[in-house]
Amino acid sequence: MIYALLCYEFFKIGLFAVGGGLVTVPFLFDLSEKYGWFSTTELADMIAVSQSTPGPVGINMATYVGFKVAGLGGALAATLSEVLPSMIVVYLIARALAKWQNNSRLDKVLAGIRPAVLSLILFAGWGIAKETITDYKSLAVMLGLLAAMRLLKKSPIYFIAASAVIGLVLHI
Amino acid sequence: MVSLWKLYTLFFKMGLFTFGGGYAMLPILQKEAVEKQKWITEEELLNYYSIGQCTPGIIAVNAASFIGYKLRKIGGLISATLGVISPSLIIIVLVAALLRQYMDNPYVQQAFDGIRICVIALIINTVWNMWQKGVKNARGYIVFAAAAVLLWCFNLSAIAVVILAAAASLIPDWRRSKK
């Protein structure tokens, strides 16, 4: 039953993806390998669309993947399951806020996970890059865009729009 | 007391005007929830954010849940959270349905060939920013490198890596134990 499977997988993502935005990407990358619901190229498209439409990126990607796998019902199942763990956790924390804020062991665990999360995101990016950066031309475009991001510090949507134009003009 | 419907619609609006990750929503929350509605103080908002970014889930959703809970307990938590995710559900389903129709168009394909390259740059840029914020000591470098080895050489799943990193963070620091 595809809806139950989506609920289970996205509940897990909601539970283990700590931090914002692209942190869910490695988990989605695992899903594409495990079930073959979408290719890594399609994952790259979903990231781009999620970054350039309104709404939090992590939610947009869950909706997109759910829709891709099982239509409207899938979109609902994936999105609601992804937010359920955080609703439960926030509920528990909000009830005992003062107690948790001063819990140094918890802070340490959470800070300790962060460097590993960076590896996770890079690994997922590597999987996508293998499909999309295939020659020196695409590598040069990527490095150019990265330099522009570092220097200009604008919202991703501008760079995504620019790269669409580059794709149309250069036929990468 | 604020009604659940008002909470839902206001968070719907905030979700609609957020582009990008959870941090993009911070200034919007500040204007709407702190200054205009006076639901929470600035300090509370920053607290929610710092807790929200290190608890499971999407930061923007966590912040919405906290504010909703503060105002109307569990009902408020649910309506604020549903409000902030509703725009995504509607817009992404529309865009995905549209793209499915036009993905065969050669111009759309060329544009997406460019966009996919941009996604790689976005990912590297995100990791770069997070590295500057979060990885500051030898312990961090080791966890980063160990996770990389586990992923590239042993093909571990993302969940396994998160659990191992959490376990490793409980290992006491040798320098401190010498004191």
Side-chain angles (χ1 to χ4, degrees):
Chain A
M1 167 94 180
I2 189 76
Y3 296 119
L5 193 59
L6 274 172
C7 286
Y8 170 68
E9 288 295 343
F10 276 89
F11 187 86
K12 274 200 310 195
I13 293 178
L15 195 59
F16 284 99
V18 177
L22 294 178
V23 171
T24 58
V25 170
F27 298 92
L28 299 175
F29 187 73
D30 280 356
L31 281 190
S32 89
E33 290 210 314
K34 198 167 158 193
Y35 298 104
W37 283 334
F38 45 88
S39 66
T40 42
T41 327
E42 287 172 317
L43 180 58
D45 296 349
M46 292 193 260
I47 296 171
V49 169
S50 303
Q51 295 258 21
S52 25
T53 44
V57 178
I59 297 302
N60 290 351
M61 285 197 290
T63 306
Y64 206 144
V65 171
F67 183 76
K68 177 121 203 132
V69 175
L72 193 57
L76 275 169
T79 310
L80 293 176
S81 310
E82 188 176 84
V83 298
L84 190 59
S86 50
M87 287 169 82
I88 298 169
V89 171
V90 167
Y91 171 70
L92 294 174
I93 294 179
R95 271 179 37 171
L97 193 58
K99 225 163 83 184
W100 274 63
Q101 260 176 322
N102 302 320
N103 189 328
S104 66
R105 175 173 284 181
L106 179 75
D107 284 348
K108 231 167 126 184
V109 170
L110 296 168
I113 294 174
R114 226 163 286 153
V117 169
L118 299 188
S119 269
L120 283 173
I121 300 175
L122 277 182
F123 183 69
W126 176 256
I128 299 168
K130 277 195 294 195
E131 313 264 327
T132 53
I133 303 200
T134 45
D135 53 12
Y136 286 114
K137 201 158 115 187
S138 45
L139 182 65
V141 171
M142 194 280 282
L143 291 174
L145 285 165
L146 181 62
M149 283 171 201
R150 300 305 302 173
L151 291 171
L152 300 174
K153 300 199 184 301
K154 286 255 190 275
S155 155
I157 191 166
Y158 296 107
F159 300 106
I160 290 171
S163 67
V165 175
I166 292 172
L168 281 168
V169 174
L170 287 184
H171 302 286
I172 304 159
Chain B
M1 191 185 268
V2 56
S3 75
L4 294 181
W5 175 246
K6 182 151 192 225
L7 261 178
Y8 177 85
T9 50
L10 269 172
F11 274 95
F12 187 100
K13 210 173 85 185
M14 288 189 248
L16 191 60
F17 289 110
T18 301
F19 277 87
Y23 291 103
M25 210 170 101
L26 185 59
I28 298 171
L29 276 174
Q30 183 156 16
K31 195 147 180 263
E32 193 68 33
V34 177
E35 287 170 22
K36 223 168 133 195
Q37 309 289 339
K38 299 195 192 315
W39 285 337
I40 51 167
T41 65
E42 174 129 26
E43 194 175 300
E44 279 175 307
L45 179 62
L46 290 177
N47 273 345
Y48 295 157
Y49 254 73
S50 51
I51 304 168
Q53 65 178 303
C54 53
T55 46
I58 313 298
I59 299 177
V61 174
N62 291 350
S65 302
F66 270 121
I67 297 170
Y69 183 83
K70 196 203 160 187
L71 295 170
R72 291 294 309 268
K73 301 287 169 216
I74 188 89
L77 186 153
I78 292 169
S79 33
T81 306
L82 291 181
V84 85
I85 67 173
S86 293
S88 299
L89 272 167
I90 297 166
I91 292 164
I92 291 289
V93 165
L94 289 176
V95 171
L98 260 178
L99 273 182
R100 201 153 60 180
Q101 301 231 306
Y102 291 103
M103 220 46 195
D104 296 330
N105 179 305
Y107 293 112
V108 175
Q109 278 178 3
Q110 281 166 12
F112 268 91
D113 284 340
I115 288 170
R116 283 178 207 130
I117 293 172
C118 185
V119 168
I120 304 298
L122 281 172
I123 289 176
I124 297 174
N125 190 39
T126 303
V127 171
W128 195 328
N129 287 336
M130 288 172 80
W131 179 278
Q132 286 175 332
K133 261 185 266 168
V135 186
K136 291 194 174 105
N137 49 28
R139 202 188 180 100
Y141 303 144
I142 293 168
V143 171
F144 175 80
V149 170
L150 289 173
L151 287 165
W152 263 275
C153 305
F154 298 96
N155 227 343
L156 241 65
S157 76
I159 291 174
V161 171
V162 169
I163 293 173
L164 282 176
S169 67
L170 295 172
I171 301 168
D173 199 331
W174 62 273
R175 273 171 304 189
R176 204 171 297 162
S177 57
K178 268 188 177 173
K179 272 181 202 169

